[in-house]
Amino acid sequence: PRPSTDPSVPDTVQMEGVRMSRWVCLLLVTPFVGVLQDQCRNSTTMMRARVAPSVRVGAGGRRTAHASSSQSLDELPGSLRRIVGAFQMVPDPMQRYKQLLYFASKLQPLAEEAHVEENRVKGCVSQVWVLPELREDGKVYFQADSDSQLTKGLAALLVEGLSGSTPQEIMGVTPDFIEMLGLKQSLTPSRNNGFLNMLKMMQKKTLELYAAQAKEDADTQV
């Protein structure tokens, strides 16, 4: 709200109105910022806890490392959980490779104007672009494209597995699900790394959308 510009209102009252307006804006926006900061901290903590080994002191004072518990299948978003389950039912690496090519054939085309630097996934062998959309239902939906059929299949797997999930669900996904898919035998180390970079990019863009939406919601309440 704007302070009064009525000449009959003293300057001190108008200035007080300005200070009150700023205070109200701060009061409304701060909770959203806190939620985002907590989300980032929690996600980082989960990643570190699952990647870093725990250390125990054994007999004779020797320290031994034990891997921390991984993310379970039940903790994945529903669509991604179903995809992982389907891949686990295919024991042959070559058949899993063909599954990826099938996903590539199902991927909807991405508009040419979306093939821009800000949507490009860094650290991939092939060119990959990712475009998210946060809809009114509070869920995120992805589009993607690549100039390689295999990489397009990996992108399509993530698009189908993460689309329709909430920002919180997407941010909670860890690289553990890549192990569950059993694709390491079918992919080179560089493509495995590129697959992980796609996930990170999707999570980064999801967080940016969530932050922008929170700010917009706060502005409309002022």
Side-chain angles (χ1 to χ4, degrees):
R2 300 178 179 272
S4 171
T5 56
D6 189 340
S8 64
V9 179
D11 290 345
T12 54
V13 174
Q14 293 188 38
M15 291 304 298
E16 183 64 26
V18 171
R19 284 194 292 270
M20 285 295 293
S21 297
R22 290 175 178 171
W23 181 84
V24 169
C25 289
L26 181 63
L27 182 64
L28 291 170
V29 172
T30 298
F32 289 98
V33 175
V35 168
L36 289 173
Q37 290 174 335
D38 290 343
Q39 187 76 28
C40 290
R41 281 194 293 266
N42 291 342
S43 179
T44 302
T45 301
M46 287 172 63
M47 293 283 283
R48 287 175 179 170
R50 283 166 176 150
V51 172
S54 59
V55 178
R56 298 177 183 174
V57 178
R62 287 194 297 269
R63 294 153 69 94
T64 57
H66 297 268
S68 300
S69 58
S70 299
Q71 184 175 29
S72 69
L73 186 62
D74 291 338
E75 293 176 298
L76 297 175
S79 295
L80 188 58
R81 183 169 63 246
R82 287 189 289 273
I83 291 172
V84 171
F87 269 83
Q88 290 179 340
M89 294 175 64
V90 182
D92 182 21
M94 183 54 66
Q95 290 300 318
R96 289 176 178 172
Y97 185 91
K98 290 180 178 179
Q99 285 268 76
L100 284 179
L101 297 181
Y102 171 70
F103 271 99
S105 69
K106 292 173 56 184
L107 187 63
Q108 296 296 314
L110 182 65
E112 192 62 35
E113 56 267 26
H115 292 74
V116 294
E117 185 63 23
E118 65 181 83
N119 294 332
R120 188 174 69 85
V121 179
K122 311 297 189 295
C124 284
V125 176
S126 306
Q127 296 287 325
V128 187
W129 299 269
V130 171
L131 183 65
E133 177 189 2
L134 180 59
R135 297 183 185 172
E136 292 183 358
D137 60 2
K139 297 178 180 179
V140 182
Y141 297 83
F142 291 96
Q143 291 179 281
D145 195 11
S146 175
D147 59 0
S148 160
Q149 279 299 104
L150 178 58
T151 308
K152 185 181 287 190
L154 294 170
L157 188 155
L158 288 173
V159 166
E160 185 164 333
L162 297 179
S163 290
S165 301
T166 65
Q168 291 82 356
E169 289 172 331
I170 294 170
M171 295 305 300
V173 175
T174 73
D176 295 318
F177 89 93
I178 299 177
E179 293 278 351
M180 299 181 204
L181 285 167
L183 287 172
K184 280 202 168 183
Q185 301 89 335
S186 305
L187 302 175
T188 62
S190 58
R191 289 206 185 275
N192 272 298
N193 188 57
F195 192 26
L196 178 58
N197 288 336
M198 287 183 220
L199 172 63
K200 289 180 178 178
M201 178 74 159
M202 288 176 158
Q203 291 177 322
K204 176 178 177 289
K205 283 188 165 289
T206 294
L207 193 57
E208 290 172 350
L209 284 177
Y210 184 76
Q213 184 62 55
K215 183 179 183 304
E216 183 180 334
D217 291 344
D219 289 343
T220 59
Q221 295 181 39
V222 176

